[in-house]
Amino acid sequence: MLLYKEQNIKVYNSLTSKKETFTPINEGHIGMYVCGPTVYSNVHLGNVRTFMSFDMVFRYLKHLGYKVRYVRNITDAGHLENDADAGEDKITKKARLEQIEPMEVVQRYTVDFHNVLNTFNFLPPSIEPTATGHIIEQIELISKIIENGFAYEVNGSVYFDVHKFNESHEYGKLSKRKLDDLIHNTRTLDGQSDKKNPQDFALWKKAEPQHIMRWPSPWSDGFPGWHLECTAMSTKYLGDKFDIHGGGMDLKFPHHECEIAQNEAAIGVSPVNYWMHANMLELNGQRMSKSTGNTVNPDELLSGNNTFFSKAYSPSVIRFFNAQASYRSVLDLTDEGLLASEKGYYRLMDAVNLLDNLKASSTSSLDIPAWKQTCYDAMNDDFNSPILIAHLFEAAKYINQVKDGSETLNSEDLTLLKTTINNFVYDVLGLENTTNNDSGTDKLSGAVDVLIRLRQDARANKDFAMSDKIRDELAEVGIQLKDGKDGTTFSTN
């Protein structure tokens, strides 16, 4: 039987603000869309956190046996500098500043995006469409919205009529914002004079003569609005209605709100059953910001070439750190937090590496099937990776107890323990088993082995005071000695 038939997932739905039982539109199949990057600069760690969270969701759904079509787009046109449809296209501006073609900008930062995600052991999406590759679909979508009376053309640009839409639909239902409040809090900005109302947003913008990225349309030579591309691409590859739409919390309004409005205006249905939003990543308790200098990019974190952290950290340690918080929680990136995660990661991997050397007994003193289900229960509860990790540490304790002989596992339970740990550590969390070379593990092992031999000599000479002193002082620095029938071993904590 497929695993998904045995497990009952609950997902926090941003649209309803509550956890709901997850039921796919088509049994055994899931359509999932996640908003990808605008490729005008190097991908930043906040983006990485969001994509890492949905990589874990993708991995778990696949592990359960679902056939998942995961679509994550690349925005390579149409994203202006602010959400008021004013300013310059981000990619065009970067190209002008560097005096290169816009598609050179796109290529450079798309490659960077893929390289960073590969470094962190991401699974590739099923489809990775681009905005410029779907101009025809976006023009067709605009035509439908105009035909249905929810958009208007002015001087070659087309705008979505939010007030008209709100007469028969609910604009703001995802972000829980009321149109009256938006009207009250909106100030007049330059570049909005063509709009009937400041809350209206661009579906198509007429290109100024100096604008390089432009395409012909029934209204003008121009380019599509930023919000439009995700509606066009998600519905093309996943259908008018699909299961999951994800993205960062910062996209909930206006981007995702506009997606809902566009879909309802063009097709007549709300596009998504479950909206999921990953929360923000902070740096030392403050929002990451290039303007204040409170920012670090993935390469700097991985290399240690920065002023915020005491050392370099491996990709798996950073993945482990990310998984120790719920995807819906604000996560504060600190040196202390990463050091603690590194210690926990290597402690878990030390236990995993002992698995193949464990010997089966005739009976089991541990309930491995019950423990296995607690791992699934954690992930079934809105992908609760922190609780999953707590259960994996419980398994690490089991492994050490079996190794020391204080607990036993029969061959069936030992195989189940190995399989379950491998499934969750590698397949679901996406961790890789790396050795702690950066922390001098080999040198540490050698030094502790010398102390263990000195302790054995002291015990042989009945110098128990010295034996206890070696054991106790090692414990004070986090090194635990364990005496067993096969000799003395150690672990760090």
Side-chain angles (χ1 to χ4, degrees):
M1 178 182 290
L2 292 167
L3 278 171
Y4 70 78
K5 293 180 179 290
E6 303 171 358
Q7 306 300 330
N8 182 29
I9 300 176
K10 288 190 177 295
V11 174
Y12 184 86
N13 191 346
S14 298
L15 187 63
T16 60
S17 300
K18 63 182 181 181
K19 289 181 184 176
E20 299 176 0
T21 298
F22 178 71
T23 305
I25 296 169
N26 299 303
E27 184 183 343
H29 295 76
I30 294 173
M32 181 169 78
Y33 187 92
V34 173
C35 291
T38 301
V39 283
Y40 72 101
S41 64
N42 296 108
V43 62
H44 62 76
L45 278 170
N47 290 143
V48 172
R49 192 225 172 165
T50 295
F51 300 134
M52 196 175 287
S53 297
F54 287 105
D55 180 65
M56 182 184 66
V57 171
F58 181 38
R59 285 171 172 275
Y60 185 61
L61 296 175
K62 283 171 63 70
H63 168 70
L64 291 181
Y66 284 109
K67 292 183 178 179
V68 186
R69 178 175 288 176
Y70 175 21
V71 182
R72 187 186 64 216
N73 71 296
I74 295 287
T75 297
D76 57 355
H79 195 167
L80 301 184
E81 290 179 288
N82 64 60
D83 293 325
D85 298 322
E88 198 172 358
D89 181 287
K90 292 183 176 183
I91 292 167
T92 301
K93 180 178 180 180
K94 187 77 169 185
R96 178 175 55 80
L97 292 173
E98 297 193 11
Q99 295 185 321
I100 59 176
E101 286 288 331
M103 282 300 134
E104 288 184 75
V105 173
V106 167
Q107 179 69 12
R108 176 188 301 172
Y109 295 113
T110 300
V111 169
D112 169 74
F113 174 66
H114 289 149
N115 287 342
V116 169
L117 267 54
N118 288 338
T119 298
F120 286 106
N121 195 33
F122 278 61
L123 295 178
S126 313
I127 303 173
E128 193 174 55
T130 64
T132 57
H134 295 78
I135 299 296
I136 292 174
E137 289 85 353
Q138 293 177 78
I139 290 173
E140 290 175 349
L141 193 61
I142 296 170
S143 297
K144 287 183 182 179
I145 296 173
I146 293 174
E147 182 180 336
N148 292 339
F150 295 111
Y152 56 92
E153 183 265 332
V154 179
N155 297 327
S157 293
V158 181
Y159 296 98
F160 189 96
D161 193 334
V162 171
H163 289 244
K164 177 71 173 179
F165 176 80
N166 204 55
E167 292 174 2
S168 54
H169 299 75
E170 184 183 357
Y171 182 79
K173 60 185 174 183
L174 177 65
S175 58
K176 312 297 184 289
R177 303 187 187 201
K178 299 295 183 184
L179 185 56
D180 288 345
D181 294 334
L182 293 173
I183 295 170
H184 178 74
N185 293 321
T186 300
R187 59 189 176 91
T188 302
L189 297 173
D190 292 339
Q192 290 190 332
S193 58
D194 286 345
K195 297 181 181 181
K196 291 181 180 178
N197 302 284
Q199 296 76 34
D200 297 347
F201 56 90
L203 299 174
W204 186 266
K205 289 282 286 184
K206 180 181 179 179
E208 298 299 325
Q210 69 273 17
H211 198 98
I212 302 171
M213 303 180 77
R214 57 203 297 145
W215 293 265
S217 80
W219 313 286
S220 65
D221 280 2
F223 54 94
W226 171 44
H227 310 306
L228 191 67
E229 63 175 277
C230 287
T231 298
M233 291 186 283
S234 63
T235 54
K236 175 170 182 173
Y237 296 111
L238 300 175
D240 293 345
K241 196 172 187 67
F242 53 96
D243 299 297
I244 297 172
H245 194 314
M249 193 75 73
D250 56 321
L251 297 180
K252 186 183 290 187
F253 185 88
H255 186 55
H256 291 162
E257 199 73 72
C258 293
E259 281 190 59
I260 293 175
Q262 289 166 163
N263 210 85
E264 292 182 350
I267 303 169
V269 296
S270 189
V272 180
N273 280 348
Y274 304 92
W275 284 91
M276 297 177 63
H277 290 93
N279 217 321
M280 308 300 288
L281 181 69
E282 294 182 342
L283 179 59
N284 293 324
Q286 298 180 355
R287 185 183 178 122
M288 285 196 187
S289 170
K290 289 182 180 179
S291 62
T292 62
N294 192 55
T295 185
V296 60
N297 67 36
D299 288 342
E300 292 170 337
L301 183 57
L302 293 168
S303 67
N305 184 25
N306 62 81
T307 59
F308 295 100
F309 300 98
S310 60
K311 53 172 295 191
Y313 293 96
S314 74
S316 279
V317 167
I318 297 168
R319 276 196 80 115
F320 191 71
F321 172 78
N322 185 72
Q324 287 184 292
S326 165
Y327 76 92
R328 290 195 292 118
S329 301
V330 174
L331 180 59
D332 188 15
L333 185 67
T334 66
D335 196 42
E336 294 79 7
L338 282 171
L339 286 169
S341 288
E342 183 179 60
K343 186 181 292 186
Y345 166 77
Y346 285 121
R347 181 155 60 95
L348 178 61
M349 288 305 170
D350 285 345
V352 172
N353 291 334
L354 292 174
L355 270 171
D356 289 336
N357 296 321
L358 294 185
K359 296 178 181 179
S361 302
S362 57
T363 60
S364 292
S365 59
L366 298 167
D367 191 344
I368 299 304
W371 166 81
K372 171 188 172 182
Q373 189 55 47
T374 63
C375 294
Y376 283 100
D377 290 344
M379 288 301 289
N380 291 342
D381 183 17
D382 195 33
F383 311 99
N384 198 329
S385 55
I387 300 300
L388 169 64
I389 288 173
H391 294 314
L392 292 176
F393 278 127
E394 186 178 11
K397 182 182 72 174
Y398 292 165
I399 291 168
N400 285 299
Q401 288 173 333
V402 172
K403 180 178 181 296
D404 295 342
S406 59
E407 300 286 358
T408 60
L409 289 177
N410 63 31
S411 59
E412 183 179 351
D413 283 341
L414 183 55
T415 298
L416 182 62
L417 179 64
K418 290 178 181 178
T419 301
T420 305
I421 286 179
N422 286 334
N423 285 340
F424 282 102
V425 169
Y426 302 127
D427 296 345
V428 174
L429 293 180
L431 302 178
E432 295 180 292
N433 197 333
T434 56
T435 58
N436 195 4
N437 291 329
D438 290 341
S439 298
T441 301
D442 293 339
K443 293 179 182 178
L444 174 64
S445 297
V448 175
D449 285 342
V450 169
L451 292 170
I452 289 173
R453 289 195 296 271
L454 290 173
R455 179 170 175 262
Q456 289 170 340
D457 291 343
R459 295 174 75 177
N461 294 326
K462 300 188 183 306
D463 188 354
F464 298 113
M466 178 57 69
S467 171
D468 291 346
K469 181 179 175 64
I470 292 172
R471 180 199 61 202
D472 294 343
E473 292 196 6
L474 284 173
E476 287 180 7
V477 295
I479 299 172
Q480 304 292 330
L481 297 185
K482 298 179 182 180
D483 296 316
K485 59 183 180 180
D486 296 326
T488 302
T489 60
F490 77 94
S491 63
T492 58
N493 57 23

